[in-house]
């Protein structure tokens, strides 16, 4: 028997209306998203550019909301045309929002107020205030002052939707830092908070006397990651550090770590590039030599053993280097992106040896380009002799289709790939949707605006929305919003009107 056919959209809608689902609450949501995926990928569906705007300040996007003016003006992109949700009062330069994270209600937690179940924006201001702002009204719901002795600048999730890490700017030994009382051996501070309400876990100073000649540090999933100029990356348990320090307090006299915490793991990598993922845990590094740039080693975390076929190097000649990362769909796969191909790799056990793993190709997405690498140029010498010279084209030659962005839409289970081709004086881009399981091309959307490869670009695909943010020279930011429409065709529209 062949594979079972999936029900079409009409069948799914009929079953939904009749309530033909199991008692699992997630079934209805998954069915709805399956219907939306079918509509997005069908041939008659188009994505229309419904709105374009420009700004002198950075533009950000989060879950159906577009932020302008350093997060102080919010526009909803869910309606047929973007509409303003709120605009916070104008503020001084010292009060501007430096960084922000979108907080959404964690599943299963009982919260003190009904308003707490609505989304909030966690924002960090230039003068060290941590704010929780209503994502729909812009009202400040909660705020807390961090510290006077350093400038906090960056927000990130330690545990997503539960614990945040607030990182300070690095201390470079400036006169301002000395006036603020920052000791020269302190590189930066990490303040860790639980969300809703804000409750301090602790403030950790990354101290060169304890950690050595550190260049940077961050916190992720309870792991303190410390980086060094030599390319060394070290991992420590933040919980162990917190348990050693029982007297975390707010002022600048809080106690210092006096001993090096237990080391969990260390590895050397070019430019401190280091990633962990896969099933079971593996990590990706580049050998710490400049000539090894573009070579990636995939190793087991438990014993540092190299996976079979674990050295991945893309056969390409390009100005921009390729990049690699663990697939965000939690499948344990790996995505390797080059200028003319996207490889999705899988990590599997070696037959008859469950302790070792191997890397193999799951599928490959190839750019649509002519299959030639050489170009011939004819020149005429002073004597009139014709000389033919051959030279190699770069794999990211602008006149050939080149991959620029690869992302994953988790709700529709689609890979989105931005491909760009230089046509005459301007570049044209299109966004392709590929099946995440097999790599099959399901839909291609042309972007109407030109694409300059020298500018910075971000492209978001979120359910029925495509959003392109572009940064031009002189801090000019542009935002192009596309929304899904079902094109029934002119002939059908004429029939409907006559009826």
């Amino acid at each position: 028997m062949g594979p079972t056919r999936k029900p079409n959209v009409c069948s799914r809608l009929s079953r939904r209306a009749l309530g033909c689902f199991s008692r699992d609450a997630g079934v209805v949501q998954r069915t709805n998203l399956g219907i939306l995926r079918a509509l997005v990928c069908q041939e008659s569906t188009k994505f229309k550019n419904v709105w374009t705007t420009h700004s002198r300040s950075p533009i950000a996007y989060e879950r159906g909301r577009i932020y302008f003016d350093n997060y102080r003006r919010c526009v909803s992109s869910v309606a047929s045309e973007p509409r303003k949700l709120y605009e916070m009062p104008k503020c001084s330069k010292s009060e501007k929002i430096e960084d922000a994270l979108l907080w959404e209600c964690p599943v299963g937690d009982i919260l003190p107020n009904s308003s707490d179940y609505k989304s909030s924006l966690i924002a960090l201001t230039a003068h060290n205030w941590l704010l929780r702002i209503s994502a729909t009204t812009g009202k400040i719901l909660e705020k807390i002052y961090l510290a006077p002795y350093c400038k906090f600048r960056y927000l990130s999730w330690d545990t997503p939707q539960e614990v945040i890490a607030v990182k300070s700017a690095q201390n470079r030994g400036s006169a301002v830092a000395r006036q603020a009382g920052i000791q020269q051996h302190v590189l930066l501070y990490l303040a860790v908070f639980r969300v809703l309400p804000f409750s301090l876990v602790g403030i950790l100073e990354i101290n060169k006397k304890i950690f050595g000649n550190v260049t940077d540090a961050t916190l992720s999933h309870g792991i303190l990651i410390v980086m060094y100029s030599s390319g060394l990356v070290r991992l420590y348990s933040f919980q162990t550090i917190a348990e050693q320090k029982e007297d975390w307090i707010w002022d600048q006299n809080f106690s210092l770590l006096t001993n090096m915490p237990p080391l969990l793991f260390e590895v050397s990598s070019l430019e401190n590039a280091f990633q962990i993922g896969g099933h079971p845990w593996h990590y990706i590094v580049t050998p710490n030599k400049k000539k090894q740039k573009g070579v990636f080693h995939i190793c087991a975390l438990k014993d540092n053993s190299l996976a079979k076929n674990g050295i991945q190097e893309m056969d390409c000649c390009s100005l921009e280097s390729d990049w690699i990362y663990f697939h965000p769909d939690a499948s344990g796969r790996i995505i390797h992106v080059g200028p003319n191909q996207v490889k999705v790799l899988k990590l599997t056990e070696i037959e008859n040896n469950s302790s070792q793993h191997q890397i193999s190709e799951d599928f490959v997405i190839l750019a649509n380009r002519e299959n030639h690498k050489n170009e011939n140029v004819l020149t005429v010498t002073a004597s009139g002799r014709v000389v033919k010279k051959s030279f190699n084209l770069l794999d990211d030659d602008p006149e050939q289709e080149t991959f620029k962005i690869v992302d994953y839409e988790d709700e529709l289970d689609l890979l989105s790939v931005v491909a760009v081709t230089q046509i005459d004086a301007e570049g044209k881009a299109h966004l392709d949707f590929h099946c995440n399981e097999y790599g099959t091309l399901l839909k291609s959307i042309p972007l109407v605006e030109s694409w300059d490869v020298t500018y910075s670009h971000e492209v978001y695909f979120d359910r029925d929305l495509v959003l392109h943010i572009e940064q031009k020279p002189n801090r000019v930011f542009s935002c192009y919003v596309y929304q899904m429409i079902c094109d029934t065709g002119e002939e059908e529209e004429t029939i409907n009107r006559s009826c």
Side-chain angles (χ1 to χ4, degrees):
M1 293 180 64
T4 305
R5 287 189 62 188
K6 294 182 179 180
N8 60 23
V9 170
C10 291
S11 174
R12 290 182 179 183
L13 289 172
S14 299
R15 288 171 58 82
R16 186 178 67 174
L18 295 171
C20 300
F21 300 113
S22 71
R23 294 182 180 180
D24 180 6
V27 171
V28 176
Q29 174 70 351
R30 288 193 294 272
T31 300
N32 289 342
L33 292 174
I35 294 171
L36 179 58
R37 172 180 161 139
L39 290 172
V40 165
C41 295
Q42 71 181 7
E43 187 176 353
S44 62
T45 298
K46 310 293 182 187
F47 278 78
K48 181 181 179 182
N49 179 213
V50 297
W51 193 56
T52 299
T53 189
H54 308 280
S55 173
R56 283 286 180 181
S57 61
I59 302 172
Y61 175 79
E62 284 283 354
R63 303 286 292 180
R65 299 175 180 89
I66 309 170
Y67 294 96
F68 301 89
D69 303 330
N70 301 110
Y71 292 94
R72 292 199 167 266
R73 182 161 61 95
C74 179
V75 172
S76 171
S77 61
V78 176
S80 58
E81 288 188 5
R83 61 182 179 84
K84 186 167 75 174
L85 284 178
Y86 64 81
E87 186 167 3
M88 300 173 70
K90 291 185 178 181
C91 65
S92 64
K93 189 175 180 180
S94 66
E95 296 175 306
K96 77 168 187 175
I97 295 175
E98 295 270 12
D99 201 1
L101 295 171
L102 184 66
W103 178 85
E104 297 176 297
C105 170
V107 178
D109 287 4
I110 299 176
L111 304 176
N113 303 308
S114 58
S115 61
D116 294 337
Y117 289 92
K118 297 180 180 180
S119 300
S120 302
L121 192 71
I122 299 173
L124 174 65
T125 68
H127 61 336
N128 279 2
W129 280 90
L130 190 63
L131 311 177
R132 187 167 66 88
I133 303 168
S134 168
T136 53
T137 66
K139 180 182 177 182
I140 297 177
L141 305 175
E142 190 178 357
K143 65 179 185 177
I144 191 168
Y145 184 66
L146 295 176
Y149 45 79
C150 66
K151 180 175 174 56
F152 286 96
R153 185 169 287 173
Y154 311 103
L155 285 177
S156 62
W157 289 112
D158 173 26
T159 303
Q161 302 298 313
E162 294 182 18
V163 180
I164 59 171
V166 192
K167 187 164 81 169
S168 74
Q170 292 191 10
N171 171 29
R172 298 297 185 184
S174 63
V176 175
R178 288 193 294 271
Q179 289 174 6
I182 300 177
Q183 301 181 51
Q184 299 304 301
H185 57 262
V186 178
L187 177 70
L188 58 86
Y189 294 89
L190 286 169
V192 185
F193 287 86
R194 291 188 180 90
V195 182
L196 204 67
F198 288 141
S199 58
L200 177 69
V201 177
I203 300 179
L204 175 66
E205 60 179 45
I206 303 303
N207 187 320
K208 292 186 178 181
K209 288 185 177 180
I210 301 298
F211 293 101
N213 191 25
V214 181
T215 56
D216 200 3
T218 189
L219 195 64
S220 178
H221 294 82
I223 300 297
L224 175 65
I225 305 169
V226 181
M227 288 155 275
Y228 298 81
S229 58
S230 62
L232 194 66
V233 179
R234 286 177 172 166
L235 275 58
Y236 303 91
S237 168
F238 181 74
Q239 182 179 353
T240 301
I241 295 172
E243 289 171 353
Q244 290 178 0
K245 292 172 62 64
E246 298 178 354
D247 51 344
W248 300 82
I249 58 177
W250 282 105
D251 63 39
Q252 59 185 341
N253 296 317
F254 59 86
S255 64
L256 306 176
L257 281 175
T258 55
N259 298 307
M260 173 75 80
L263 180 66
L264 296 180
F265 180 83
E266 74 174 8
V267 69
S268 182
S269 180
L270 185 67
E271 299 174 351
N272 299 118
F274 172 72
Q275 303 175 62
I276 295 180
H279 308 302
W281 294 113
H282 279 67
Y283 64 87
I284 304 173
V285 293
T286 295
N288 197 11
K289 295 179 181 178
K290 287 186 178 181
K291 65 180 181 180
Q292 293 289 308
K293 188 169 185 178
V295 179
F296 304 99
H297 288 200
I298 304 168
C299 305
L301 188 64
K302 65 176 182 179
D303 58 7
N304 297 319
S305 61
L306 182 69
K308 184 179 179 181
N309 303 324
I311 299 178
Q312 293 293 315
E313 182 178 9
M314 194 162 283
D315 182 19
C316 62
C317 177
S318 59
L319 295 176
E320 297 183 11
S321 59
D322 51 320
W323 68 97
I324 193 169
Y325 58 98
F326 286 100
H327 199 312
D329 69 351
S331 64
R333 294 182 297 174
I334 297 167
I335 297 178
H336 190 183
V337 185
N340 61 347
Q341 60 182 315
V342 178
K343 290 184 179 180
V344 177
L345 310 171
K346 58 185 178 181
L347 183 67
T348 56
E349 289 183 357
I350 295 177
E351 190 175 356
N352 300 324
N353 189 352
S354 60
S355 63
Q356 288 191 333
H357 291 74
Q358 62 184 353
I359 304 296
S360 58
E361 286 185 1
D362 198 6
F363 59 82
V364 179
I365 300 170
L366 297 175
N368 183 19
R369 51 170 63 181
E370 297 177 8
N371 188 23
H372 61 78
K373 290 231 174 185
N374 298 323
E375 287 285 343
N376 293 322
V377 176
L378 299 179
T379 58
V380 181
T381 65
S383 63
R385 187 166 57 93
V386 177
V387 179
K388 183 169 68 173
K389 293 183 179 180
S390 177
F391 65 93
N392 291 332
L393 287 174
L394 291 173
D395 284 302
D396 58 352
D397 185 278
E399 294 184 359
Q400 299 281 342
E401 183 176 270
T402 304
F403 294 137
K404 294 295 183 181
I405 298 173
V406 177
D407 204 356
Y408 173 63
E409 216 296 344
D410 58 341
E411 293 183 301
L412 302 186
D413 196 29
L414 292 172
L415 279 175
S416 61
V417 180
V418 176
V420 180
T421 306
Q422 189 83 15
I423 302 174
D424 297 327
E426 65 177 21
K428 300 302 292 183
H430 57 90
L431 177 64
D432 295 340
F433 300 154
H434 292 263
C435 170
N436 184 47
E437 188 175 359
Y438 301 110
T440 312
L441 176 62
L442 302 176
K443 187 78 175 176
S444 185
I445 301 168
L447 302 183
V448 296
E449 65 276 9
S450 62
W451 184 291
D452 192 318
V453 294
T454 64
Y455 297 168
S456 175
H457 299 267
E458 298 173 65
V459 175
Y460 299 91
F461 169 43
D462 191 358
R463 292 191 177 187
D464 61 343
L465 173 85
V466 171
L467 187 135
H468 174 204
I469 298 174
E470 176 185 55
Q471 181 179 352
K472 301 176 182 178
N474 301 320
R475 290 185 62 82
V476 175
F477 298 85
S478 299
C479 178
Y480 309 90
V481 179
Y482 293 76
Q483 288 190 336
M484 184 183 79
I485 59 170
C486 290
D487 185 7
T488 56
E490 292 182 4
E491 183 178 350
E492 184 177 340
E493 288 178 2
T494 304
I495 295 172
N496 290 339
R497 283 197 297 271
S498 64
C499 290

